[in-house]
Amino acid sequence: MAQEAARPLEAGAQEKIYEEFDHRIVPPSWQDRVWSAEEYKRFHAETVKDKAAIEAFWAEWAEKLPWFKKWDKVLDDSNPPFYRWFVGGETNLAYLAVDWQIKQGRKHKVAFIWEGEPWDEVKREPKEVRKITYHDLYRESNRLAFALREKLRVRKGEVITLYLPMIPEMVYYMLAVQRLGAAHSIVFSGFSAQALAQRVLDAGSRIIVTADGLYRRGRVIPLKPMVDEAVRICAEKGHKVEHVIVVRRVGLENLAWEEERDLWHHRFVRGISRNVQVEPVPCSSEDFSFILYTSGTTGTPKGVQHSVGGYAVGVYASAKLIFDLNDEDVYWCTADVGWITGHSYVIYGPLMLGVTSVIYEGAPDYPAPDRWWSIIHRHGVTVFYTAPTAVRMLMKFPEEFVHRYDLSTLRIVNTVGEPINPEAFNWYFRNLGKEDIVASSCWWMTETGQMILAHTPGLGKIYPLKPGTNGFPIPGVDVEVVDDEGKPCPPGVRGHLVVTTPWPAMMMTIYKDPQRYIDTYWSRFKGKFCTSDFAVKDPDGYIWVLGRADDVLKIAGHRIGTAEVESAMVLHPAVAEAACVGRPDPVKGEVPVIFTVLRHGFMGEPELVDEIKQHLRKVIGPIVATDAVIVFVDNLPKTRSGKIMRRILRAVIHGQPLGDITTLEDGVAVEEATKAYQQIK
Ligand code: WTA
């Protein structure tokens, strides 16, 4: 698969995105709890001034958690980039999330208010709302841990794949797996059978947990048949999936069933006492708690491997600092657990802080575009964490949809996943927050495990907000915007965002591929973690992340590599070659445009476009297929050595100058691509 280096920076590119929006906002109820950017920067600088300061900062947070065995060393940096946190310590994520909460008196506190998607049109209310207490979590996850251990011999270190919708069982299985010291690999339920198979193979899972199907926008989408197909693909490649556990969610009939392999979840736990207890297995800080596959610049997703101890501390501290969660809060993060945001800030962070959270199963606009606002109103949500793409989708509807509801409980609203455009920020700041909330765009990645750039009201003070910015790094971790040589960029000059200090929830490695970990993140800028994001600092030092610098797209906040799309394309019998680039989109952030060369004998007809999109749906999933724009061309622009020049295709899409084309093999391909693209548009 042809690959390109990160997009080159134009020398001294000026990114004055912030100028137009450079107004500082202090929400009225924070007037007496505000510090200036300068004051915050001075405070922050102290926490990262040297290794001792960094260690002291994170040790203070780690002290707040219970450890089965306390650590000997906060940070071992003797073998970079394999930083080790809380060396010698032992704990368990399920213990922190559940048992510890019960010990602190939260036994009967509601951990999750779960709301299913189905809607009762007559009563005008959701058909299912369940309140799940910490004690419920304890019981369910203990029973499951018992069943997994006794019936399927699950042991420490094993990786179990979870391919589930947003139902309570997702939480129970995650916690059961953690209890046993095993690890989960969660695959987003919108991924296809092939994408699932690829991840199961890499993780080597012998157990997959799924559901018969899921609800999405009022429709039933079958899930179990996808798993059957994935298992078949795995078998072809010589890997046997021994057990598929199936949660009955939608009541699909006539499911194909393999008696030897398939198990209903309700039968799996039947007969196991609700009082059964499974001791949480002590895990060393550096055991791994989960892997989560994410996209990079190659066709194969990377298994990002996270730790136990460092992950727990980083997620706990960041959730507290950024969401300022307290016992009386009702917190709601709208992310699917299939992504890192769901791992850290739907499940582990909020549970470790013992709060009540909302989990909503379905689509934001079902049965109407006011569903989310009704959830905030009905459950009294105080802290809300969502994605810019959802805000942009919902702000297209009349404001009346929002104003029907009392959203005055909200005090913090944050976004994640892609830059928030100031218009969307202003819309939600005004309509959801009545201009008196802390609103922050929290920057982080699957790899960072925890949020890195954001406002930190949990410190008791905030620096002024600015629409569209990511603000400053949280204390204890530092970042920089650097040029191609790794030197800091002056304010206003676009550069690469790098993280310059280790932080606790940082990924440990890429699963089974440490060399790729070094190459991908640590080889470009010596001693600094390369995020592959472009960013710019404004004159006050606020950071504005501008988007990916590599061939990774964010489609509605979902992270997909263009190489994955291209690999999928060439699996279609009509496709000879394909090059995928992102096009900015006012709602989705980015949509994939795929320049496609057909094999001889195929014509670029509308039916073929549909067929190719179906194919993409099958190979990757609807995330890519729904918005893909297919552009047929006879040739792709290539260098003389045969590399596809995506940079030129990007320029075509943006209607920008082509830049340096001396290495281009044949100018005709560019003209052709431009013409074909114009016609589609
Ligand atoms: C982008 C999501 C701007 C960025 C947690 C990063 C953001 C990628 C923001 C990681 C933000 C995430 N502002 N861009 N607040 N948050 N990104 O791994 O390009 O799915 O590299 O993790 O999302 O995506 P991932």
Side-chain angles (χ1 to χ4, degrees):
M1 184 53 51
Q3 259 192 72
E4 256 181 324
R7 240 175 288 165
L9 294 174
E10 296 109 52
Q14 297 288 315
E15 292 283 342
K16 291 294 180 71
I17 152 166
Y18 51 82
E19 277 199 340
E20 197 185 328
F21 303 101
D22 191 18
H23 57 283
R24 270 149 263 193
I25 304 169
V26 177
S29 53
W30 283 83
Q31 288 293 355
D32 53 349
R33 289 174 292 164
V34 64
W35 45 1
S36 69
E38 281 312 313
E39 284 170 310
Y40 178 78
K41 267 194 286 190
R42 275 200 296 278
F43 160 78
H44 174 265
E46 279 300 306
T47 67
V48 293
K49 69 172 189 258
D50 53 24
K51 188 181 165 200
I54 293 172
E55 286 190 304
F57 180 81
W58 293 109
E60 205 180 312
W61 281 97
E63 297 277 1
K64 299 180 203 278
L65 300 180
W67 297 78
F68 299 148
K69 180 169 167 284
K70 199 181 163 182
W71 67 88
D72 312 312
K73 205 175 173 131
V74 178
L75 170 63
D76 175 356
D77 59 355
S78 60
N79 181 28
F82 301 97
Y83 296 93
R84 302 166 61 203
W85 283 90
F86 305 106
V87 184
E90 284 182 9
T91 187
N92 178 298
L93 284 184
Y95 177 82
L96 296 173
V98 181
D99 306 39
W100 181 42
Q101 304 312 321
I102 292 174
K103 288 206 166 90
Q104 291 175 91
R106 299 194 174 109
K107 184 169 178 183
H108 298 298
K109 180 169 177 177
V110 174
F112 289 111
I113 304 170
W114 177 81
E115 180 163 323
E117 191 192 75
W119 183 260
D120 188 324
E121 285 296 349
V122 180
K123 293 192 190 147
R124 303 170 69 110
E125 61 183 32
K127 286 190 181 157
E128 297 161 284
V129 174
R130 276 158 60 184
K131 297 204 164 158
I132 302 163
T133 63
Y134 280 90
H135 191 221
D136 295 333
L137 285 182
Y138 181 80
R139 285 189 149 161
E140 294 298 334
S141 58
N142 270 280
R143 280 174 92 201
L144 263 183
F146 185 83
L148 287 168
R149 189 182 70 191
E150 301 305 317
K151 298 189 178 178
L152 304 183
R153 301 178 323 282
V154 170
R155 295 287 181 271
K156 193 162 178 213
E158 165 159 12
V159 184
I160 295 181
T161 296
L162 307 182
Y163 182 64
L164 282 164
M166 292 290 280
I167 53 178
E169 287 78 5
M170 172 70 106
V171 189
Y172 306 153
Y173 274 96
M174 290 171 83
L175 294 171
V177 164
Q178 294 303 334
R179 214 167 175 84
L180 297 173
H184 49 69
S185 163
I186 301 184
V187 179
F188 174 54
S189 57
F191 273 123
S192 68
Q194 293 193 29
L196 171 64
Q198 196 177 26
R199 288 158 176 78
V200 171
L201 278 170
D202 191 80
S205 291
R206 63 182 180 103
I207 301 172
I208 303 178
V209 185
T210 189
D212 53 350
L214 59 90
Y215 292 111
R216 192 72 189 170
R217 278 203 182 84
R219 286 191 309 141
V220 164
I221 298 175
L223 219 48
K224 165 72 164 59
M226 309 278 263
V227 177
D228 294 340
E229 172 67 6
V231 171
R232 197 191 55 73
I233 298 171
C234 289
E236 256 174 34
K237 305 246 158 93
H239 173 74
K240 181 165 182 221
V241 175
E242 293 170 19
H243 307 285
V244 175
I245 305 176
V246 187
V247 178
R248 199 198 303 271
R249 170 64 190 134
V250 294
L252 270 192
E253 294 188 357
N254 304 324
L255 282 183
W257 203 259
E258 291 245 354
E259 285 304 331
E260 291 285 288
R261 183 195 72 198
D262 299 341
L263 284 161
W264 281 113
H265 161 76
H266 53 273
R267 297 219 180 119
F268 183 51
V269 287
R270 187 178 289 165
I272 297 174
S273 158
R274 283 162 45 95
N275 291 324
V276 72
Q277 289 186 7
V278 173
E279 277 304 302
V281 172
C283 297
S284 117
S285 288
E286 299 158 86
D287 281 335
F288 70 107
S289 54
F290 65 87
I291 48 183
L292 178 59
Y293 287 87
T294 191
S295 297
T297 50
T298 68
T300 27
K302 301 178 285 240
V304 172
Q305 179 177 327
H306 278 289
S307 67
V308 174
Y311 178 78
V313 173
V315 166
Y316 174 79
S318 57
K320 181 72 189 166
L321 286 166
I322 297 167
F323 300 138
D324 186 32
L325 293 172
N326 297 304
D327 252 323
E328 56 279 14
D329 275 307
V330 177
Y331 162 81
W332 182 23
C333 167
T334 62
D336 191 286
V337 177
W339 308 99
I340 190 69
T341 308
H343 284 62
S344 301
Y345 302 113
V346 175
I347 307 295
Y348 296 116
L351 288 180
M352 278 191 273
L353 285 159
V355 293
T356 297
S357 306
V358 173
I359 293 184
Y360 167 56
E361 178 187 34
D365 53 354
Y366 182 82
D370 61 351
R371 180 72 181 260
W372 275 12
W373 318 138
S374 93
I375 290 176
I376 296 175
H377 169 104
R378 281 183 286 109
H379 303 306
V381 173
T382 57
V383 179
F384 184 49
Y385 193 27
T386 191
T389 186
V391 174
R392 289 192 298 259
M393 192 266 280
L394 294 170
M395 71 190 253
K396 287 189 309 188
F397 297 97
E399 290 180 2
E400 215 279 298
F401 277 107
V402 190
H403 298 318
R404 263 179 219 167
Y405 299 97
D406 178 358
L407 309 184
S408 59
T409 47
L410 287 172
R411 59 186 191 90
I412 296 177
V413 179
N414 291 333
T415 58
V416 60
E418 53 178 319
I420 180 114
N421 48 317
E423 297 79 1
F425 177 100
N426 287 330
W427 185 88
Y428 88 68
F429 189 63
R430 194 178 63 242
N431 287 297
L432 304 189
K434 299 282 175 283
E435 303 191 355
D436 192 15
I437 50 169
V438 178
S440 178
S441 168
C442 312
W443 176 90
W444 60 297
M445 311 170 67
T446 306
E447 292 85 339
T448 68
Q450 65 174 88
M451 299 179 277
I452 303 271
L453 300 176
H455 277 268
T456 42
L459 291 170
K461 284 191 274 190
I462 57 164
Y463 52 85
L465 319 175
K466 284 188 189 185
T469 174
N470 300 98
F472 295 98
I474 67 170
V477 54
D478 209 2
V479 306
E480 189 51 273
V481 177
V482 299
D483 64 15
D484 276 342
E485 273 71 56
K487 292 200 215 59
C489 293
V493 175
R494 182 181 74 169
H496 307 274
L497 181 71
V498 292
V499 189
T500 54
T501 60
W503 65 101
M506 64 196 302
M507 66 187 287
M508 305 170 74
T509 185
I510 292 177
Y511 190 56
K512 295 193 284 203
D513 200 351
Q515 190 56 44
R516 192 169 168 206
Y517 174 57
I518 300 173
D519 296 345
T520 312
Y521 304 103
W522 298 94
S523 59
R524 177 125 196 232
F525 303 106
K526 198 146 182 41
K528 301 181 177 104
F529 177 87
C530 175
T531 66
S532 293
D533 273 329
F534 279 138
V536 62
K537 256 188 199 180
D538 71 18
D540 295 330
Y542 285 62
I543 291 174
W544 301 62
V545 176
L546 304 167
R548 298 286 302 191
D550 59 1
D551 290 313
V552 168
L553 308 181
K554 295 292 304 222
I555 308 168
H558 301 323
R559 178 167 162 185
I560 296 289
T562 54
E564 274 168 87
V565 179
E566 291 162 7
S567 312
M569 285 293 288
V570 296
L571 293 175
H572 189 280
V575 176
E577 244 184 330
C580 174
V581 288
R583 173 173 85 190
D585 180 88
V587 174
K588 301 274 173 121
E590 234 174 355
V591 295
V593 177
I594 312 171
F595 291 89
T596 308
V597 180
L598 293 175
R599 289 185 191 281
H600 282 299
F602 289 94
M603 299 280 287
E605 289 159 339
E607 297 76 41
L608 186 58
V609 172
D610 292 343
E611 200 188 304
I612 290 178
K613 285 186 153 201
Q614 272 307 324
H615 166 81
L616 285 177
R617 185 174 289 270
K618 208 170 138 222
V619 181
I620 303 180
I623 317 166
V624 171
T626 312
D627 302 296
V629 179
I630 312 280
V631 185
F632 294 115
V633 289
D634 288 335
N635 289 291
L636 295 172
K638 288 185 184 162
T639 62
R640 289 196 193 94
S641 58
K643 276 193 188 160
I644 298 171
M645 295 183 80
R646 288 192 194 71
R647 174 175 66 78
I648 291 196
L649 292 173
R650 266 193 294 269
V652 166
I653 286 180
H654 288 86
Q656 282 169 348
L658 299 180
D660 179 8
I661 51 165
T662 46
T663 56
L664 186 68
E665 185 193 27
D666 171 10
V668 180
V670 182
E671 281 168 36
E672 203 207 341
T674 312
K675 246 198 342 254
Y677 179 66
Q678 290 301 342
Q679 278 173 4
I680 296 267
K681 242 190 1 174

